[in-house]
Amino acid sequence: MDRVILERLGIAAGHPGACARQWISTSGEPLAPFNPATGKTLARVNQATRQDYERVMEEAGEVWKRWRLFPAPKRGEIVREFGDALRHAKDDLGALVTLETGKILAEGRGEVQEMIDIADFAVGLSRQLYGLTMPSERPGHRLYEQWHPLGRVGVITAFNFPVAVWAWNAMLAAVCGDCVVWKPSPRTPLTALAVQHIAHRVLARHGFEGVFSLVAGSVEEIGEPMIGDARLPLISATGSCAMGRRVGEVVGRRLGRTLLELGGNNGVILMDDADPDLALRAIVFGAVGTAGQRCTSIRRLFVQRGVEAAFMERLQRAYAQVRIGDPMAESTLMGPLVGPDAVQEMMNAIETARSQGAELLYGGRRRDDLPGGCFVEPTILRSSPRMPVVRQEVFAPVLHVMTFDTLDEVLDWHNDVPQGLSSSIFTTNLSHAEAFLSARGSDCGIANVNIGTSGAEIGGAFGGEKETGGGRESGSDSWKAYMRRQTVTINSSRDLPLAQGITFELD
């Protein structure tokens, strides 16, 4: 079954890891991505070398000279074709996401649907790259702004959303007139290769091969050269806070731009007036979905004292009903972690929390009865907001539960972490909701009321504050990150008045 899916998506044994105008025969150290649900190798990918990277950059630069002059609505038509191609490949591509990441099949298909949705969004955007016209203080002058393509854009993606995050960047960048050079996660190169095959076929029909390029390779051979390359005016990077610090430092040193999507330590506040049924469903999915490996997964739950006992009893019963197993099975609700190292990091985090005084309420064990060595039980810990471990993101299904008395108290606790991605409050009290959304409320880039912290729609800008990096991807006006703004003044008069009333006369 796995082999059939790979073949239909064009992935052969010993697949090359670089593509620009055409696939490049790479000779780097092979990657052997595996299925975390079984531990079996899916295929081998020959990584790109520094030489391959240089070729990709050169070819992307050449095609950009033509792509930037191609009308934006025409660029949008090509993106629309790519979205249609994704629709035809959705089932196979969604299955490959599941095979490579371990997320359940519904989420694998959902990730491909997210790519399709952002392609549709970008098609409309291609006719809406608006500039402003401002009144000039000088007679006979016109003052306005316009936007131009930025150039070649580097996109570095993480394993947990191996293709959707690329699409958030690439679809918008493409209609803006940029070319995209993609470095996928070494854990999940196969989904990237499959998407590159689809994109390459679409672009080839129009003579624009190389608008989307791919270089799968190591940090040393590809990652570091990318972030230090002044030919890439923008680096969009998704990953850990540590990775983001390195990217920000290197790109900042050359005065380039970064779009960083980093860690999340997302909190949910459950008020005693909340709808408990609604909250329970959202919290379980938010904490357990994708085995807790979303940047928007719920890590911290604050429960008001009046409902703490009853709600925690229901939450533990719900956790006991989470079906763990083969992510390709339609009935499975939680698949494996991405690798044995992720399992060990989760076990270490649980042990650290207990050493700091946390109480284990549910789970906390490996599922050695399941194959592959990457399955775990989702875990609930009763913790304190002052524990150092609560301030750290654990990329696993570990939920810290804390009890609070007042909204003012819990808002302080909620915001007292270095990360600031997503947040939520469950309440039927309008005053509580408005306080959470006010300047004294959530300090995150995403703030929700009566829904969980994950599952953001593509129409709104996605991203967070503080150590989450400050970047924004996907909808709203995020397209501006991929373009350069130009302020223009045109003098149609015979006079030359200066601004601010300055007089400068020659004899």
Side-chain angles (χ1 to χ4, degrees):
M1 175 67 174
D2 299 0
R3 185 73 261 160
V4 171
I5 292 172
L6 291 171
E7 288 176 356
R8 284 202 294 256
L9 291 171
I11 299 174
H15 199 288
C19 179
R21 286 178 174 168
Q22 59 188 359
W23 286 95
I24 298 168
S25 181
T26 50
S27 57
E29 187 73 21
L31 288 172
F34 63 92
N35 181 346
T38 64
K40 296 180 180 178
T41 298
L42 291 165
R44 294 191 182 276
V45 178
N46 296 325
Q47 294 188 86
T49 64
R50 179 65 183 269
Q51 184 178 359
D52 300 322
Y53 170 75
E54 286 299 326
R55 178 174 169 183
V56 166
M57 284 297 297
E58 289 174 9
E59 294 186 5
E62 286 301 313
V63 73
W64 180 66
K65 293 175 183 177
R66 294 187 294 117
W67 184 246
R68 64 184 173 177
L69 299 177
F70 198 53
K74 296 294 184 183
R75 298 193 293 252
E77 290 178 11
I78 295 176
V79 168
R80 182 181 61 196
E81 285 188 31
F82 176 67
D84 290 340
L86 289 174
R87 286 179 171 88
H88 291 300
K90 180 179 175 178
D91 288 344
D92 281 343
L93 194 53
L96 182 55
V97 170
T98 292
L99 289 171
E100 201 170 27
T101 67
K103 63 174 64 175
I104 62 174
L105 191 57
E107 291 189 76
R109 291 170 178 157
E111 179 163 355
V112 181
Q113 185 60 51
E114 197 161 356
M115 299 176 74
I116 295 167
D117 291 345
I118 196 63
D120 288 347
F121 181 93
V123 174
L125 175 64
S126 69
R127 294 180 181 271
Q128 300 178 77
L129 302 174
Y130 299 137
L132 297 174
T133 298
M134 293 79 71
S136 173
E137 65 185 68
R138 291 170 285 183
H141 287 59
R142 182 158 65 93
L143 179 64
Y144 70 96
E145 292 177 345
Q146 61 181 358
W147 296 83
H148 289 306
L150 194 59
R152 287 162 286 183
V153 171
V155 176
I156 301 171
T157 55
F159 77 86
N160 59 328
F161 280 87
V163 287
V165 171
W166 170 82
W168 292 354
N169 287 274
M171 299 301 98
L172 271 59
V175 298
C176 288
D178 300 328
C179 291
V180 178
V181 180
W182 181 12
K183 181 191 180 299
S185 167
R187 288 186 184 270
T188 53
L190 301 181
T191 43
L193 295 175
V195 168
Q196 180 66 25
H197 272 292
I198 295 169
H200 192 69
R201 287 195 297 270
V202 172
L203 292 166
R205 290 199 291 266
H206 300 275
F208 282 112
E209 302 97 315
V211 167
F212 297 138
S213 301
L214 179 142
V215 274
S218 67
V219 170
E220 295 75 20
E221 289 288 310
I222 306 300
E224 285 292 327
M226 255 181 105
I227 63 176
D229 195 339
R231 294 171 296 180
L232 294 169
L234 171 67
I235 296 288
S236 175
T238 301
S240 68
C241 293
M243 182 270 277
R245 290 189 189 96
R246 176 61 181 169
V247 173
E249 174 190 354
V250 175
V251 178
R253 194 182 304 138
R254 61 176 173 87
L255 300 182
R257 300 187 195 178
T258 56
L259 197 166
L260 300 177
E261 296 289 356
L262 309 175
N265 192 357
N266 312 294
V268 169
I269 297 171
L270 180 68
M271 304 299 296
D272 58 11
D273 55 64
D275 179 335
D277 296 329
L278 185 70
L280 184 68
R281 293 197 304 271
I283 291 165
V284 173
F285 173 75
V288 171
T290 324
Q293 296 174 117
R294 290 177 177 236
C295 53
T296 53
S297 292
I298 299 173
R299 313 287 182 203
R300 300 175 298 143
L301 173 62
F302 304 94
V303 184
Q304 197 161 22
R305 194 173 302 279
V307 295
E308 190 267 344
F311 188 81
M312 290 309 301
E313 181 182 349
R314 293 189 64 184
L315 183 63
Q316 291 175 70
R317 286 204 307 267
Y319 264 53
Q321 297 171 31
V322 174
R323 296 181 295 277
I324 305 168
D326 179 7
M328 293 290 282
E330 296 283 355
S331 61
T332 298
L333 295 179
M334 190 180 106
L337 293 179
V338 73
D341 56 333
V343 175
Q344 189 57 51
E345 288 174 10
M346 174 178 170
M347 296 300 115
N348 293 344
I350 293 170
E351 186 59 35
T352 298
R354 297 183 75 177
S355 73
Q356 293 176 8
E359 177 188 359
L360 180 64
L361 299 181
Y362 185 90
R365 296 178 299 179
R366 304 171 190 260
R367 287 293 303 270
D368 293 329
D369 57 314
L370 295 171
C374 298
F375 289 93
V376 296
E377 292 177 335
T379 300
I380 304 174
L381 295 165
R382 188 187 302 280
S383 304
S384 162
R386 302 309 177 196
M387 291 177 181
V389 71
V390 173
R391 295 169 54 81
Q392 301 164 5
E393 179 188 35
V394 178
F395 221 57
V398 176
L399 181 65
H400 294 280
V401 178
M402 292 153 277
T403 307
F404 71 94
D405 292 305
T406 68
L407 182 59
D408 285 339
E409 172 188 51
V410 76
L411 287 174
D412 288 341
W413 291 353
H414 175 276
N415 293 345
D416 189 27
V417 293
Q419 310 85 357
L421 179 52
S422 190
S423 59
S424 179
I425 188 170
F426 282 85
T427 181
T428 55
N429 184 306
L430 180 62
S431 296
H432 293 159
E434 289 296 331
F436 179 74
L437 299 176
S438 73
R440 72 183 179 97
S442 169
D443 63 358
C444 295
I446 299 170
N448 297 329
V449 176
N450 292 330
I451 63 170
T453 57
S454 57
E457 297 183 40
I458 58 93
F462 179 90
E465 299 300 321
K466 300 188 290 189
E467 287 189 5
T468 302
R472 293 296 186 274
E473 295 170 323
S474 195
S476 185
D477 65 346
S478 299
W479 60 272
K480 293 178 179 178
Y482 308 96
M483 303 195 82
R484 57 182 177 89
R485 187 198 310 244
Q486 188 174 75
T487 301
V488 179
T489 306
I490 299 174
N491 180 7
S492 59
S493 74
R494 300 286 298 175
D495 299 319
L496 194 65
L498 299 178
Q500 292 83 49
I502 296 173
T503 301
F504 187 83
E505 299 289 346
L506 297 174
D507 292 334

